[in-house]
Amino acid sequence: MAARVAEVARVLGTAEVRVAASTAHLGLAARLWSVALGAAAVTGRMPEWGGAWFALPPQGPFDLWMPAGAAGPAAGVEVLERTVLDGQLAPLAAAVRAVAPLAPGLLAGNAASALVGAARQLGSVPRLRGPAAALTRELLARPALAGAGAVTAPGGPLGFRRTSCCLYYRTPGGGLCGDCVFTRAPGR
């Protein structure tokens, strides 16, 4: 994880380990949610994560792949919570926090933001919009994500506003994310 965070810092052009660690965490969380939420919305099942392969190279994208035909249990919110939030994102947060001192709320905000981002991408396919949004709303209400932000359009398109900041604004040339808690970048 330390090598990955160092590479993210190099790519972003920042000397702030916390900023790079947060960005690395957000990217990894997005990969995990994309696979899980995508499988749940498309097939109604979870991939069999016990057969998953992960590669976290020092450079390039995080690789995640499942063996062919690795359909697992039906993908209700409890299964997604247990598999992704508890089984993957909690250990990932611990690994990231071992490299950089990040607040648990920031990492929960990253996980929630990554989840909403995956749901929005799935929502570009009309038949997946409803299932992805419904699962996402339920997951955002689970204890691990409940304080991470708020759905801004409960009955309409999936809007979300974090209660934390991922720190991206601190990168050279960085700005605020679309779901940032800030309305303008704070001073240093």
Side-chain angles (χ1 to χ4, degrees):
M1 184 58 69
R4 180 60 171 202
V5 169
E7 174 60 11
V8 170
R10 184 192 69 76
V11 169
L12 292 175
T14 183
E16 292 188 68
V17 175
R18 291 177 63 244
V19 173
S22 175
T23 302
H25 176 266
L26 183 57
L28 296 172
R31 287 285 180 121
L32 293 167
W33 277 128
S34 295
V35 169
L37 191 63
V42 171
T43 69
R45 304 201 72 74
M46 275 293 296
E48 188 56 61
W49 286 83
W53 291 88
F54 300 88
L56 188 59
Q59 295 182 331
F62 168 61
D63 295 324
L64 169 62
W65 65 97
M66 306 290 177
V77 69
E78 292 83 11
V79 171
L80 285 163
E81 178 182 35
R82 184 174 55 250
T83 304
V84 182
L85 283 171
D86 299 339
Q88 301 297 322
L89 293 176
L92 174 61
V96 169
R97 290 188 80 204
V99 174
L102 293 173
L106 180 149
L107 296 173
N110 283 354
S113 181
L115 170 62
V116 172
R120 285 182 181 149
Q121 288 301 309
L122 288 166
S124 67
V125 178
R127 71 179 181 84
L128 301 179
R129 184 174 301 128
L135 284 168
T136 297
R137 283 183 173 93
E138 286 185 62
L139 285 161
L140 290 172
R142 301 310 263 200
L145 300 179
V151 175
T152 57
L158 192 58
F160 180 74
R161 184 149 184 130
R162 295 173 63 131
T163 56
S164 64
C165 175
C166 71
L167 306 176
Y168 182 73
Y169 78 92
R170 296 180 69 92
T171 62
L176 298 180
C177 301
D179 62 1
C180 189
V181 66
F182 296 124
T183 56
R184 61 184 171 92
R188 292 198 175 243

